[in-house]
Amino acid sequence: MTSYGKQKRLLVAVDCIIFGFDGQELKVLLIKRGFEPERGKWSLMGGFVQPDESFEGAAERVLKQLTGLEDIYMEQLYAFSRPDRDPIERTASIAYSALLDINQYHRQQLRHEFHAEWFSLSQVPDLIFDHTEMIDMAKEKLRYKAAIHPILFELLPQKFTIPQLQLLYEGVYETDFDKRNFSRKILSLKLLVKQKDKDKESSKRGAFYYKLDKRRYNANFNSFLNFIAKPHNLK
């Protein structure tokens, strides 16, 4: 047997879901699709897997070609394979997701050919095909990971304010927390080390900077899990 000649063709694509935090909001990166169908509509960064590349290699290539971003660590999310997901031809898409600090990548200018643009998660426009479903699934995975790993702290600068931390959690969980309750809860865990200086750009009084005490974080891991696993307690 030298071929599978009786089998029908199935195209394989990749789509990249890139979340980013800019210090104020959690956002997702989108482009305008450059070909039919749905040309000119907002889309995730996607493209077809070539015969000589892996899924991971295809995702890295597509992201760089369409946005200019490179050296981004992406994890495979899910294989979207509904038969009618693409109106032209049967296409399965392997979705990849990433989470990054937007400010760390400001030197990598976004490419303008495809109008790459960061959108707040609360203002995502209508997307092509099943890309909204992809983003929703990626958000759920992000929340799960945030509940078992300190990944959100990695998006913050070395020293940060409690309002900055609150904005990040509100973006991930898409909810509003009461400021006093959030501050009281996070400080009660004794995971943060208060600094002497303040951020005076956000308010007249200023907000003290804090640093994460990684030693205490590891020791109080279970308490931290209970804290972020029940965000409704902070309203």
Side-chain angles (χ1 to χ4, degrees):
M1 183 175 180
T2 59
S3 68
Y4 303 106
K6 294 182 179 181
Q7 299 302 314
K8 293 184 178 180
R9 186 170 78 153
L10 169 64
L11 297 178
V12 180
V14 292
D15 284 292
C16 303
I17 307 156
I18 310 299
F19 294 123
F21 184 63
D22 64 358
Q24 296 295 321
E25 290 183 290
L26 189 67
K27 298 181 176 182
V28 64
L29 186 60
L30 302 175
I31 62 167
K32 284 191 175 180
R33 184 172 167 93
F35 57 93
E36 297 292 352
E38 309 287 7
R39 181 185 179 92
K41 293 188 177 181
W42 289 106
S43 163
L44 293 170
M45 291 66 65
F48 293 105
V49 179
Q50 300 304 305
D52 61 345
E53 62 185 354
S54 65
F55 295 161
E56 291 80 7
E60 293 171 0
R61 172 183 57 80
V62 164
L63 182 63
K64 183 177 180 179
Q65 286 181 347
L66 299 181
T67 70
L69 292 179
E70 56 183 333
D71 298 323
I72 305 293
Y73 174 71
M74 293 184 284
E75 293 185 346
Q76 190 175 120
L77 174 67
Y78 188 73
F80 291 82
S81 58
R82 192 175 67 239
D84 62 348
R85 61 173 301 276
D86 189 307
I88 299 299
E89 191 168 355
R90 178 73 192 275
T91 305
S93 178
I94 313 300
Y96 284 81
S97 64
L99 178 64
L100 56 84
D101 177 355
I102 293 176
N103 296 317
Q104 286 188 358
Y105 289 86
H106 69 279
R107 293 183 180 179
Q108 294 187 24
Q109 296 294 326
L110 294 179
R111 299 185 64 176
H112 298 296
E113 294 95 319
F114 300 99
H115 305 278
E117 184 176 338
W118 290 102
F119 283 85
S120 168
L121 289 183
S122 62
Q123 298 178 337
V124 175
D126 291 337
L127 303 177
I128 68 168
F129 305 161
D130 51 0
H131 288 193
T132 297
E133 181 184 349
M134 292 182 180
I135 291 177
D136 289 341
M137 184 178 290
K139 286 192 294 187
E140 288 301 316
K141 183 176 181 180
L142 175 59
R143 291 168 187 165
Y144 173 77
K145 289 184 65 177
I148 60 176
H149 298 294
I151 59 171
L152 298 187
F153 286 97
E154 296 173 6
L155 297 180
L156 296 167
Q158 186 176 12
K159 41 180 204 177
F160 52 86
T161 66
I162 290 180
Q164 281 181 306
L165 182 62
Q166 180 174 338
L167 286 171
L168 178 55
Y169 273 99
E170 288 179 339
V172 170
Y173 286 98
E174 294 185 290
T175 189
D176 294 325
F177 299 145
D178 179 81
K179 292 182 179 180
R180 291 185 178 180
N181 283 344
F182 186 91
S183 179
R184 177 174 54 82
K185 286 283 189 178
I186 192 68
L187 291 177
S188 70
L189 298 176
K190 301 186 184 301
L191 303 178
L192 305 182
V193 180
K194 190 175 183 179
Q195 307 299 295
K196 295 180 179 180
D197 52 334
K198 288 184 175 182
D199 169 24
K200 296 185 178 180
E201 295 183 1
S202 302
S203 65
K204 292 182 178 179
R205 294 181 58 187
F208 279 104
Y209 284 112
Y210 290 82
K211 289 185 178 181
L212 176 66
D213 187 326
K214 294 183 178 180
R215 179 181 57 83
R216 287 184 177 179
Y217 176 87
N218 292 331
N220 294 288
F221 184 68
N222 290 331
S223 296
F224 185 69
L225 290 186
N226 292 331
F227 164 68
I228 60 175
K230 300 177 180 179
H232 58 275
N233 290 338
L234 302 177
K235 293 183 179 179

